[in-house]
């Protein structure tokens, strides 16, 4: 029965899968850049390095990557709405290729700084445009699975850089990353574009052709009408930045995504990825070489996220997020308690295996929900007119809280010991589980239109034309009420008549 259910879920979705794989393969390159400093900086700091790092270069090579992401926000908002999701992904791939070339030919830190800044810009565009593209081309029955693929690609990239960089010449990772990006640049331009984006630009016939390619069927009239109705309704909503706060459903989406992105990093994932070797050495865990521990850590994250990606559309977002948050918090609590006993001079030699086991369990349980659900939900919650701005804010929150979590870890672990930041991170995970249960709606099996009704607290109507027309008018009326402070009577009348 389960096999039949799985086959039914994926039936007729092969064109979507190919489009998503080619559209997200560049995330492997992004993952390699994200984990690049951990294995590469020790090589650059060695006496045999052809590039000589100064004392502050280690920190700045990590920070400039995040600065690139933050400064890329205006570019991202402009790109996804002007040249589209597909075009933005292609531009991001070109930027990633330039970054790898700069790293390969670098003979000074200046080249590395420029490359890291460019890839920060590229990653910001890609991780907004790609989830939007996936959510808008995917059938609702596998949208969660397809949305999670970009994270799997990123984790694969982290695994590759951990496995290659410590054992190969400095330029080899650049060759690997460049080949991956070139594959995307060759294949993805031939994939269908987002029907939502095409309809929003008045290209209805082209949208129909691309939707037919994605569904592998000529019978797409019903879905095309639903997409058109959704786009027309969402066009009647204002796409101003302040509407992310003034409209209740948008405000709820922003709150959910900011908190989930904060929760990801306050579960210490960036701290783990960038400081895993140092954490294990501080814990006196000698059961595995740090290079091997890094490879196993990345492999477990990839395996766990892959399993989660297959079951996210079966068990739902809330369930996986809640269980993952609780188990992640438990792992961090165990690690904090271990460091507490160690710093109190207890004899822990007999249990020095605990840190290595704990961080490996952490890798598995974090990526089973907390590490993948936010990226799945990001493209589901915002309506078309504010999706670019909303997802860009979510991406900004992701980068910002990554930096904050690293600062908290570095400062508190130096001043008070490793246990203090890990107690904070453990508490954050518990609060995330509570937040998920009380505030986050379940989006499993829902269309993007249905999700907007859920966020507004409005029952979704039956799908007859008359009822749908009435519901869209009622939906627009709710948005107008949300905006009445900033809308004139004439403008409200025009909006209602345009639905």
């Amino acid at each position: 029965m389960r096999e039949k259910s799985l086959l039914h879920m994926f039936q007729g979705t092969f064109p979507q899968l190919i489009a998503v794989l080619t559209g997200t393969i560049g995330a492997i390159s992004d993952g390699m850049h994200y984990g690049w400093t951990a294995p590469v900086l020790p090589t650059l700091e060695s006496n045999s390095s052809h590039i000589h790092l100064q004392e502050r270069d280690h920190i700045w090579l990590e920070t400039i990557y995040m600065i690139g992401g933050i400064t890329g926000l205006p570019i991202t908002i402009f790109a996804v709405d002007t040249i589209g999701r597909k075009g933005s992904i292609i531009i991001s791939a070109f930027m990633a290729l330039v970054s790898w070339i700069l790293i390969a030919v670098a003979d000074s830190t200046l080249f590395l700084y420029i490359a890291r800044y460019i890839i920060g810009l590229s990653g910001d565009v890609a991780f907004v445009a790609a989830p939007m593209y996936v959510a808008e081309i995917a059938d609702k029955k596998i949208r969660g699975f397809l949305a999670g693929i970009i994270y799997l690609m990123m984790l694969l990239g982290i695994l590759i850089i951990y496995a290659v960089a410590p054992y190969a010449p400095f330029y080899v990772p650049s060759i690997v990353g460049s080949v991956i990006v070139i594959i995307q640049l060759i294949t993805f331009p031939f994939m269908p574009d987002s029907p939502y984006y095409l309809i929003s630009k008045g290209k209805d016939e082209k949208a129909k052709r691309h939707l037919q390619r994605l569904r592998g069927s000529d019978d797409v009239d019903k879905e095309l009408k639903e997409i058109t109705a959704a786009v027309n309704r969402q066009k009647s909503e204002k796409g101003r930045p302040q509407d992310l706060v003034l409209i209740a459903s948008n405000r709820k989406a922003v709150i959910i995504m900011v908190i989930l992105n904060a929760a990801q990093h306050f579960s210490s994932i960036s701290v783990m990825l960038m400081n895993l070797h140092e954490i294990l050495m501080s814990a006196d865990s000698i059961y595995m070489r740090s290079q091997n521990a890094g490879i196993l850590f990345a492999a477990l994250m990839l395996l766990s996220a892959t399993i989660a990606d297959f079951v996210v559309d079966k068990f739902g977002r809330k369930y996986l997020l809640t269980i993952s948050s609780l188990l992640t918090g438990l792992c961090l609590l165990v690690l904090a308690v271990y460091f507490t006993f160690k710093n109190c001079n207890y004899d822990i030699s007999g249990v020095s295996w605990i840190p290595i086991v704990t961080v490996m369990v952490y890798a598995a349980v974090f990526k089973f929900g907390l590490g993948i659900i936010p990226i799945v939900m990001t493209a589901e919650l915002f309506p078309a007119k504010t999706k670019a701005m909303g997802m860009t804010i979510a991406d900004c929150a992701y980068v910002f809280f990554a930096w904050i979590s690293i600062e908290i870890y570095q400062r508190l672990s130096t001043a008070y010991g490793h246990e203090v930041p890990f107690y904070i991170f453990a508490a954050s995970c518990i609060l995330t589980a509570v937040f998920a249960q009380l505030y986050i709606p379940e989006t499993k099996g829902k269309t993007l239109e249905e999700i907007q009704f859920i966020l507004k607290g409005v029952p979704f109507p039956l799908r007859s034309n008359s009822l749908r027309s009435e519901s869209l008018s009622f939906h627009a009326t709710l948005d107008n009420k949300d905006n009445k402070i900033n809308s004139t009577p004439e403008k409200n009348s025009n909006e209602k008549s345009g639905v």
Side-chain angles (χ1 to χ4, degrees), residues 44-210:
L44 292 176
E45 291 171 343
S46 66
N47 294 329
S48 60
S49 173
H50 67 293
I51 299 176
H52 299 289
L53 300 184
Q54 302 298 321
E55 184 177 349
R56 296 288 297 176
D57 287 334
H58 185 288
I59 296 175
W60 274 106
L61 283 172
E62 293 180 354
T63 304
I64 197 71
Y65 173 78
M66 297 179 185
I67 292 175
I70 293 175
T71 56
L73 298 180
I75 298 175
T76 301
I77 294 174
F78 173 80
V80 294
D81 278 339
T82 304
I83 63 174
R85 293 68 158 130
K86 181 180 173 181
S88 298
I89 294 171
I90 293 172
I91 288 177
S92 173
F94 272 113
M95 295 168 68
L97 181 59
V98 170
S99 177
W100 282 123
I101 292 173
L102 286 173
I103 291 175
V105 302
D107 58 3
S108 69
T109 55
L110 177 61
F111 283 84
L112 298 181
Y113 281 129
I114 295 173
R116 296 288 288 171
Y117 179 80
I118 290 175
I119 200 58
L121 292 173
S122 170
D124 186 83
V125 175
F127 272 80
V128 172
M132 289 176 70
Y133 176 78
V134 173
E136 292 176 355
I137 71 166
D139 191 299
K140 66 179 182 180
K141 64 183 179 181
I142 62 164
R143 189 177 63 242
F145 168 77
L146 294 179
I149 287 178
I150 188 172
Y151 229 131
L152 300 184
M153 295 291 192
M154 181 180 178
L155 292 174
L156 179 58
I158 293 173
L159 177 59
I160 290 173
I161 196 70
Y162 279 5
V164 173
Y167 308 106
F170 177 78
Y171 59 84
V172 171
S174 294
I175 294 176
V176 175
S178 296
V179 169
I180 291 169
V181 174
I182 290 172
I183 291 173
Q184 183 176 36
L185 289 172
I186 292 174
T187 59
F188 187 60
F190 298 99
M191 295 298 111
D193 207 338
S194 161
Y196 280 83
Y197 172 74
L198 293 174
I199 290 175
S200 72
K201 296 300 180 181
K203 301 178 181 179
D204 293 12
E205 285 300 317
K206 188 175 182 180
K208 182 177 181 178
R209 294 196 304 271
H210 285 225

Side-chain angles (χ1 to χ4, degrees), residues 7 30 67 96 131 159 185 203 205 227 267 284 294 302 395 425 460:
L7 289 174
D30 291 324
I67 292 175
L159 177 59
L185 289 172
K203 301 178 181 179
E205 285 300 317
I227 293 174
S267 65
D284 294 332
L302 177 59
D395 192 59
F425 295 146
F460 193 71

Side-chain angles (χ1 to χ4, degrees), residues 9 31 50 122 134 153 215 265 285 312 419 468 489 497-498:
M9 185 176 77
H50 67 293
S122 170
V134 173
M153 295 291 192
R215 300 297 180 258
H265 292 291
S285 186
V312 67
E419 65 272 21
R468 173 167 287 279
S497 63

Side-chain angles (χ1 to χ4, degrees), residues 352-406:
S352 59
W353 52 268
I354 287 180
I356 189 70
V357 171
T358 300
V359 297
M360 296 308 163
V361 174
Y362 167 92
V365 298
F366 172 79
K367 284 300 177 185
F368 194 71
L370 185 53
I372 196 170
I373 297 301
I375 196 69
V376 172
M377 296 191 71
T378 298
E380 295 180 331
L381 295 180
F382 294 103
K385 290 293 286 184
T386 59
K387 184 171 287 187
M389 292 181 290
M391 292 183 65
T392 303
I393 288 175
D395 192 59
C396 178
Y398 184 89
V399 176
F400 176 75
F401 287 111
W403 171 64
I404 292 296
S405 67
I406 293 170

Side-chain angles (χ1 to χ4, degrees), residues 322-342:
T322 301
I323 297 300
S324 173
S325 297
L326 291 173
L327 293 177
T328 301
L330 180 61
C331 289
L332 295 173
L333 182 61
V334 170
L335 202 57
V337 171
Y338 177 89
F339 276 113
T340 299
F341 279 98
K342 180 180 181 296

Side-chain angles (χ1 to χ4, degrees), residues 438-453:
L438 297 181
Y439 197 75
I440 296 179
E442 179 56 73
T443 60
K444 180 190 75 170
K446 305 292 191 300
T447 66
L448 299 182
E449 181 75 349
E450 287 174 310
I451 293 170
Q452 289 305 306
F453 275 80

Side-chain angles (χ1 to χ4, degrees), residues 340-349:
T340 299
F341 279 98
K342 180 180 181 296
N343 292 336
C344 289
N345 297 319
Y346 283 90
D347 182 11
I348 55 171
S349 57

